[in-house]
């Protein structure tokens, strides 16, 4: 494999509900830095149906080129169809790096592509850099339960691939009117060749604020005692218009669904205010919330590790403190 044949940094552009997913814009920001260091171009790969118009956003957020596969066969995400398009594009243009958002689609697609290409994939990267001269991607992520940061290299194969968590990288400011090269691509794929059929899309409707988009997150841990005690977390969140988060132990106990889990194996959140209530402060939880603007911890154990990672700490019983907070916030917020 001659590495000289491989040039360019690519970002898989995820289209969701007629818009580019925020994580893809963040990756264009990160990808721009890598591409500039390598003095190469930054490209996006956009796959879907009626998605060509979204290329404009990719250009405005840093892409030089966008490869588009726009066909009814790509109306819904399916591993098989998207993987075939991306593989064909990769084999034709040979990028040196491909970045994907660590979303359910990005993770699925990246791992499928990695099984077909003779190359590796670093999952859930939180830090990216590149060696200017060798082009070696330095993809760092927490390892060994979050106790160390490991930098993972793909020395022998190209392209180098990584998935990156949402909200970790920063999108560039939008440069209105910035354009680039749009390259329309297609693959000879018929619906009858595809084994997976989408029969129905069931959307979960919820009144609740999304945890990774909320300005305030109120998270509860095992210290809330049980599902009934955990209702206090919901009540406080309701008063503040906040999203509800949880530790993994709470999710494993079945008090709340997994998409509320904050941490290494859950969601990374960066709200303006994060409440950690009855949460001990294990490193795997901390890595998912440590970049929040203001962290407020409530724990009855003054020695709890969470007090090392918060701006304000309240030592006391959550069952006494939360009702007082609800009362005061209700008064203050009307
Ligand atoms: P506990 O550790 O049991 O802590 C409960 C806390 O509540 C204690 O500090 C206690 O003092 C306090 N408390 C008890 N009663 C009260 C009260 N009445 N008022 C106030 N405080 C009270 N964890 C995550 O959260 N997210 C992850 O993504 C995650 N990923 C992991 C990945 C791996 C590979 C591993 C090994 C672990 C992972 N964990 C994760 C688990 C993590 O190590 C901890 O076990 C977990 O975070 C602990 O949850 P907790 O703080 O709710 O429970």
């Amino acid at each position: 494999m001659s590495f000289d044949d491989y040039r360019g940094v690519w970002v898989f552009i995820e289209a969701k509900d007629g818009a580019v997913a925020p994580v893809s814009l963040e990756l264009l920001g990160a990808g721009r830095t890598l591409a500039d260091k390598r003095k190469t171009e930054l490209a996006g790969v956009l796959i879907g149906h009626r998605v060509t118009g979204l290329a404009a956003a990719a250009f405005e957020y840093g892409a030089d080129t966008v490869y588009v596969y726009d066909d009814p066969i790509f109306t819904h995400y399916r591993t098989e169809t998207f993987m075939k398009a991306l593989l064909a594009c990769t084999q034709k243009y040979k990028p040196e790096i491909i970045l994907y958002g660590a979303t359910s689609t990005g993770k699925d697609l990246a791992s499928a592509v990695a099984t077909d290409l003779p190359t590796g994939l670093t999952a859930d990267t939180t830090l990216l850099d590149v060696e200017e001269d060798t082009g070696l991607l330095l993809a760092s992520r927490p390892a060994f339960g979050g106790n160390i940061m490991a930098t993972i290299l793909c020395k022998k194969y190209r392209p180098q691939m990584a998935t990156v968590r949402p909200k970790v990288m920063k999108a560039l400011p939008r440069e209105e009117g910035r354009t680039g090269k749009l390259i329309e691509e297609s693959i000879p794929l018929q619906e009858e060749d595809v084994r997976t059929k989408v029969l129905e899309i069931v959307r979960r409707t919820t009144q609740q604020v999304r945890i990774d988009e909320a300005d305030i997150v109120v998270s509860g841990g095992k210290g809330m005692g049980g599902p009934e005690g955990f209702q206090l977390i919901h009540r406080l969140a309701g008063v503040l218009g906040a999203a509800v988060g949880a530790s993994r132990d709470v999710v494993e106990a079945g008090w709340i669904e997994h998409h509320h889990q904050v941490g290494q194996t859950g969601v990374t959140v960066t709200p303006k205010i994060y409440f950690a209530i009855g949460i001990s402060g294990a490193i795997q939880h901390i890595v998912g919330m440590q970049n929040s603007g203001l962290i407020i911890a409530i724990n009855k154990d003054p020695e709890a590790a969470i007090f090392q990672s918060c701006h304000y700490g309240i030592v006391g019983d959550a069952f006494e403190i939360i009702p007082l907070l609800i009362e005061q916030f209700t008064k203050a917020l009307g």
Side-chain angles (χ1 to χ4, degrees):
M1 177 177 275
S2 165
F3 287 2
D4 294 341
D5 298 341
Y6 290 80
R7 291 296 285 161
V9 176
W10 282 14
V11 172
F12 167 63
I13 307 285
E14 200 171 324
K16 214 168 175 200
D17 300 327
V20 174
V23 66
S24 304
L25 302 180
E26 293 158 20
L27 290 187
L28 286 171
R32 186 70 266 167
T33 310
L34 302 180
D36 289 348
K37 273 197 166 180
R38 288 287 293 150
K39 298 185 179 56
T40 186
E41 73 158 20
L42 174 67
V45 184
L46 188 54
I47 307 169
H49 182 218
R50 301 202 176 102
V51 290
T52 306
L54 299 181
F59 294 134
E60 290 182 337
Y61 283 90
D64 302 309
T65 300
V66 175
Y67 300 98
V68 183
Y69 290 80
D70 198 332
D71 189 282
I73 206 158
F74 303 122
T75 300
H76 301 296
Y77 174 75
R78 286 180 288 178
T79 315
E80 206 178 344
T81 54
F82 275 54
M83 180 187 85
K84 284 191 169 148
L86 193 52
L87 275 176
C89 205
T90 304
Q91 280 154 354
K92 186 168 171 186
Y93 295 103
K94 297 190 168 42
E96 55 191 286
I97 293 171
I98 311 180
L99 306 176
Y100 308 76
T103 58
S104 44
T105 300
K107 286 186 198 175
D108 183 69
L109 179 61
S111 48
V113 171
T115 56
D116 254 52
L117 286 177
T119 192
L121 168 69
T122 305
D124 285 334
T125 309
T126 53
L127 210 65
L128 285 170
D129 202 357
V130 70
E131 283 183 9
E132 281 169 48
D133 44 347
T134 62
L136 204 55
L137 180 69
L138 311 173
S140 305
R141 53 155 297 155
F144 294 108
N147 291 316
I148 60 158
M149 283 294 279
T151 300
I152 296 162
L153 312 175
C154 178
K155 287 187 169 175
K156 294 190 180 160
Y157 299 98
R158 293 289 182 272
Q160 306 165 87
M161 305 207 298
T163 62
V164 181
R165 290 191 165 207
K167 289 216 172 193
V168 174
M169 305 294 162
K170 283 231 167 344
L172 295 170
R174 180 176 166 221
E175 208 178 307
E176 216 175 326
R178 185 181 182 279
T179 58
K181 199 164 38 158
L182 184 83
I183 300 178
E184 290 179 3
E185 289 287 338
S186 62
I187 44 168
L189 190 60
Q190 304 301 319
E191 188 55 52
E192 11 341 330
D193 303 331
V194 185
R195 284 168 298 176
T196 331
K197 307 290 171 206
V198 178
L199 302 181
E200 191 187 1
I201 306 257
V202 182
R203 287 189 189 272
R204 187 195 304 260
T205 52
T206 170
Q207 296 294 318
Q208 290 166 352
V209 191
R210 276 188 56 146
I211 184 171
D212 53 348
E213 291 173 356
D215 281 341
I216 308 177
V217 174
V218 179
S219 282
K222 268 316 249 313
M224 297 314 296
E228 297 80 28
F230 199 79
Q231 287 308 313
L232 266 181
I233 298 290
H234 285 280
R235 282 183 48 209
L236 178 58
V239 170
L240 294 171
V244 173
S247 67
R248 185 171 86 167
D249 289 23
V250 161
V251 171
E252 283 185 347
W255 304 353
I256 197 164
E257 290 156 300
H258 178 259
H259 62 267
H260 292 271
Q261 182 183 318
V262 173
Q264 185 188 326
T265 42
V267 184
T268 303
V269 297
T270 49
K272 290 183 182 147
I273 307 174
Y274 186 85
F275 286 88
I277 308 178
I279 291 178
S280 56
I283 183 70
Q284 297 88 357
H285 187 84
I286 301 297
V287 293
M289 46 64 98
Q290 63 193 353
N291 293 327
S292 305
L294 182 75
I295 300 170
I296 301 166
I298 304 172
N299 198 301
K300 69 177 185 187
D301 175 7
E303 302 299 324
I306 192 73
F307 290 129
Q308 306 299 319
S309 303
C310 67
H311 300 100
Y312 293 107
I314 303 172
V315 179
D317 187 342
F319 294 96
E320 285 171 21
I321 296 165
I322 299 178
L324 295 175
L325 290 178
I326 291 174
E327 193 186 319
Q328 291 302 319
F329 283 130
T330 309
K331 269 192 212 156
L333 300 170

